[in-house]
mmCIF file with all atom_site columns, all heavy atoms in Angstrom:
data_model
loop_
_atom_site.group_PDB
_atom_site.id
_atom_site.type_symbol
_atom_site.label_atom_id
_atom_site.label_alt_id
_atom_site.label_comp_id
_atom_site.label_asym_id
_atom_site.label_entity_id
_atom_site.label_seq_id
_atom_site.pdbx_PDB_ins_code
_atom_site.Cartn_x
_atom_site.Cartn_y
_atom_site.Cartn_z
_atom_site.occupancy
_atom_site.B_iso_or_equiv
_atom_site.pdbx_formal_charge
_atom_site.auth_seq_id
_atom_site.auth_comp_id
_atom_site.auth_asym_id
_atom_site.auth_atom_id
_atom_site.pdbx_PDB_model_num
ATOM 1  N N   . CYS A 1 26 ? -1.456 14.621 21.237 1.00 97.00 ? 283 CYS A N   1
ATOM 2  C CA  . CYS A 1 26 ? -1.622 13.380 22.023 1.00 97.00 ? 283 CYS A CA  1
ATOM 3  C C   . CYS A 1 26 ? -0.401 13.092 22.810 1.00 97.00 ? 283 CYS A C   1
ATOM 4  O O   . CYS A 1 26 ? -0.568 12.689 24.013 1.00 97.00 ? 283 CYS A O   1
ATOM 5  C CB  . CYS A 1 26 ? -2.004 12.265 21.079 1.00 97.00 ? 283 CYS A CB  1
ATOM 6  S SG  . CYS A 1 26 ? -2.661 10.798 21.988 1.00 97.00 ? 283 CYS A SG  1
ATOM 7  N N   . LEU A 1 27 ? 0.784  13.366 22.213 1.00 97.00 ? 284 LEU A N   1
ATOM 8  C CA  . LEU A 1 27 ? 2.030  13.131 22.986 1.00 97.00 ? 284 LEU A CA  1
ATOM 9  C C   . LEU A 1 27 ? 2.007  14.034 24.178 1.00 97.00 ? 284 LEU A C   1
ATOM 10 O O   . LEU A 1 27 ? 2.391  13.672 25.283 1.00 97.00 ? 284 LEU A O   1
ATOM 11 C CB  . LEU A 1 27 ? 3.174  13.314 21.962 1.00 97.00 ? 284 LEU A CB  1
ATOM 12 C CG  . LEU A 1 27 ? 4.565  13.070 22.619 1.00 97.00 ? 284 LEU A CG  1
ATOM 13 C CD1 . LEU A 1 27 ? 4.747  11.726 23.113 1.00 97.00 ? 284 LEU A CD1 1
ATOM 14 C CD2 . LEU A 1 27 ? 5.598  13.465 21.503 1.00 97.00 ? 284 LEU A CD2 1
ATOM 15 N N   . ASN A 1 28 ? 1.734  15.339 23.994 1.00 98.00 ? 285 ASN A N   1
ATOM 16 C CA  . ASN A 1 28 ? 1.738  16.253 25.063 1.00 98.00 ? 285 ASN A CA  1
ATOM 17 C C   . ASN A 1 28 ? 0.712  15.891 26.192 1.00 98.00 ? 285 ASN A C   1
ATOM 18 O O   . ASN A 1 28 ? 1.019  16.019 27.286 1.00 98.00 ? 285 ASN A O   1
ATOM 19 C CB  . ASN A 1 28 ? 1.456  17.666 24.587 1.00 98.00 ? 285 ASN A CB  1
ATOM 20 C CG  . ASN A 1 28 ? 2.604  18.160 23.719 1.00 98.00 ? 285 ASN A CG  1
ATOM 21 O OD1 . ASN A 1 28 ? 3.805  17.833 23.869 1.00 98.00 ? 285 ASN A OD1 1
ATOM 22 N ND2 . ASN A 1 28 ? 2.367  19.113 22.851 1.00 98.00 ? 285 ASN A ND2 1
ATOM 23 N N   . LEU A 1 29 ? -0.504 15.445 25.773 1.00 98.00 ? 286 LEU A N   1
ATOM 24 C CA  . LEU A 1 29 ? -1.396 14.903 26.724 1.00 98.00 ? 286 LEU A CA  1
ATOM 25 C C   . LEU A 1 29 ? -0.911 13.788 27.531 1.00 98.00 ? 286 LEU A C   1
ATOM 26 O O   . LEU A 1 29 ? -1.136 13.675 28.738 1.00 98.00 ? 286 LEU A O   1
ATOM 27 C CB  . LEU A 1 29 ? -2.764 14.516 25.998 1.00 98.00 ? 286 LEU A CB  1
ATOM 28 C CG  . LEU A 1 29 ? -3.794 13.904 26.809 1.00 98.00 ? 286 LEU A CG  1
ATOM 29 C CD1 . LEU A 1 29 ? -4.292 14.967 27.911 1.00 98.00 ? 286 LEU A CD1 1
ATOM 30 C CD2 . LEU A 1 29 ? -5.012 13.496 25.907 1.00 98.00 ? 286 LEU A CD2 1
ATOM 31 N N   . ALA A 1 30 ? -0.350 12.792 26.897 1.00 98.00 ? 287 ALA A N   1
ATOM 32 C CA  . ALA A 1 30 ? 0.267  11.680 27.466 1.00 98.00 ? 287 ALA A CA  1
ATOM 33 C C   . ALA A 1 30 ? 1.314  12.038 28.490 1.00 98.00 ? 287 ALA A C   1
ATOM 34 O O   . ALA A 1 30 ? 1.265  11.410 29.645 1.00 98.00 ? 287 ALA A O   1
ATOM 35 C CB  . ALA A 1 30 ? 0.765  10.693 26.468 1.00 98.00 ? 287 ALA A CB  1
ATOM 36 N N   . ARG A 1 31 ? 2.123  12.968 28.171 1.00 97.00 ? 288 ARG A N   1
ATOM 37 C CA  . ARG A 1 31 ? 3.095  13.431 29.119 1.00 97.00 ? 288 ARG A CA  1
ATOM 38 C C   . ARG A 1 31 ? 2.510  14.074 30.317 1.00 97.00 ? 288 ARG A C   1
ATOM 39 O O   . ARG A 1 31 ? 2.963  13.902 31.489 1.00 97.00 ? 288 ARG A O   1
ATOM 40 C CB  . ARG A 1 31 ? 4.188  14.350 28.396 1.00 97.00 ? 288 ARG A CB  1
ATOM 41 C CG  . ARG A 1 31 ? 5.073  13.622 27.433 1.00 97.00 ? 288 ARG A CG  1
ATOM 42 C CD  . ARG A 1 31 ? 6.021  14.658 26.766 1.00 97.00 ? 288 ARG A CD  1
ATOM 43 N NE  . ARG A 1 31 ? 7.046  13.928 26.054 1.00 97.00 ? 288 ARG A NE  1
ATOM 44 C CZ  . ARG A 1 31 ? 7.517  14.259 24.786 1.00 97.00 ? 288 ARG A CZ  1
ATOM 45 N NH1 . ARG A 1 31 ? 7.062  15.403 24.253 1.00 97.00 ? 288 ARG A NH1 1
ATOM 46 N NH2 . ARG A 1 31 ? 8.379  13.534 24.198 1.00 97.00 ? 288 ARG A NH2 1
ATOM 47 N N   . ALA A 1 32 ? 1.531  14.945 30.111 1.00 97.00 ? 289 ALA A N   1
ATOM 48 C CA  . ALA A 1 32 ? 0.863  15.679 31.181 1.00 97.00 ? 289 ALA A CA  1
ATOM 49 C C   . ALA A 1 32 ? 0.174  14.601 32.097 1.00 97.00 ? 289 ALA A C   1
ATOM 50 O O   . ALA A 1 32 ? 0.166  14.818 33.400 1.00 97.00 ? 289 ALA A O   1
ATOM 51 C CB  . ALA A 1 32 ? -0.146 16.671 30.634 1.00 97.00 ? 289 ALA A CB  1
ATOM 52 N N   . LEU A 1 33 ? -0.536 13.652 31.479 1.00 97.00 ? 290 LEU A N   1
ATOM 53 C CA  . LEU A 1 33 ? -1.226 12.615 32.350 1.00 97.00 ? 290 LEU A CA  1
ATOM 54 C C   . LEU A 1 33 ? -0.148 11.924 33.169 1.00 97.00 ? 290 LEU A C   1
ATOM 55 O O   . LEU A 1 33 ? -0.393 11.674 34.335 1.00 97.00 ? 290 LEU A O   1
ATOM 56 C CB  . LEU A 1 33 ? -1.900 11.566 31.415 1.00 97.00 ? 290 LEU A CB  1
ATOM 57 C CG  . LEU A 1 33 ? -3.205 12.158 30.802 1.00 97.00 ? 290 LEU A CG  1
ATOM 58 C CD1 . LEU A 1 33 ? -3.669 11.382 29.566 1.00 97.00 ? 290 LEU A CD1 1
ATOM 59 C CD2 . LEU A 1 33 ? -4.307 12.380 31.807 1.00 97.00 ? 290 LEU A CD2 1
ATOM 60 N N   . HIS A 1 34 ? 0.913  11.522 32.616 1.00 95.00 ? 291 HIS A N   1
ATOM 61 C CA  . HIS A 1 34 ? 2.015  10.823 33.330 1.00 95.00 ? 291 HIS A CA  1
ATOM 62 C C   . HIS A 1 34 ? 2.535  11.644 34.381 1.00 95.00 ? 291 HIS A C   1
ATOM 63 O O   . HIS A 1 34 ? 2.711  11.161 35.525 1.00 95.00 ? 291 HIS A O   1
ATOM 64 C CB  . HIS A 1 34 ? 3.195  10.448 32.388 1.00 95.00 ? 291 HIS A CB  1
ATOM 65 C CG  . HIS A 1 34 ? 4.202  9.774  33.037 1.00 95.00 ? 291 HIS A CG  1
ATOM 66 N ND1 . HIS A 1 34 ? 4.176  8.445  33.550 1.00 95.00 ? 291 HIS A ND1 1
ATOM 67 C CD2 . HIS A 1 34 ? 5.460  10.134 33.419 1.00 95.00 ? 291 HIS A CD2 1
ATOM 68 C CE1 . HIS A 1 34 ? 5.207  8.047  34.168 1.00 95.00 ? 291 HIS A CE1 1
ATOM 69 N NE2 . HIS A 1 34 ? 6.148  9.064  34.058 1.00 95.00 ? 291 HIS A NE2 1
ATOM 70 N N   . GLU A 1 35 ? 2.798  12.934 34.269 1.00 96.00 ? 292 GLU A N   1
ATOM 71 C CA  . GLU A 1 35 ? 3.180  13.827 35.295 1.00 96.00 ? 292 GLU A CA  1
ATOM 72 C C   . GLU A 1 35 ? 2.149  13.952 36.392 1.00 96.00 ? 292 GLU A C   1
ATOM 73 O O   . GLU A 1 35 ? 2.497  14.109 37.587 1.00 96.00 ? 292 GLU A O   1
ATOM 74 C CB  . GLU A 1 35 ? 3.499  15.289 34.761 1.00 96.00 ? 292 GLU A CB  1
ATOM 75 C CG  . GLU A 1 35 ? 4.706  15.274 33.826 1.00 96.00 ? 292 GLU A CG  1
ATOM 76 C CD  . GLU A 1 35 ? 4.996  16.684 33.252 1.00 96.00 ? 292 GLU A CD  1
ATOM 77 O OE1 . GLU A 1 35 ? 4.357  17.672 33.858 1.00 96.00 ? 292 GLU A OE1 1
ATOM 78 O OE2 . GLU A 1 35 ? 5.801  16.701 32.342 1.00 96.00 ? 292 GLU A OE2 1
ATOM 79 N N   . GLY A 1 36 ? 0.882  13.781 36.081 1.00 95.00 ? 293 GLY A N   1
ATOM 80 C CA  . GLY A 1 36 ? -0.198 13.839 36.958 1.00 95.00 ? 293 GLY A CA  1
ATOM 81 C C   . GLY A 1 36 ? -0.502 12.452 37.635 1.00 95.00 ? 293 GLY A C   1
ATOM 82 O O   . GLY A 1 36 ? -1.369 12.320 38.565 1.00 95.00 ? 293 GLY A O   1
#
Side-chain angles (χ1 to χ4, degrees):
C283 192
L284 180 59
N285 291 334
L286 174 62
R288 287 181 173 141
L290 286 167
H291 180 70
E292 287 177 19

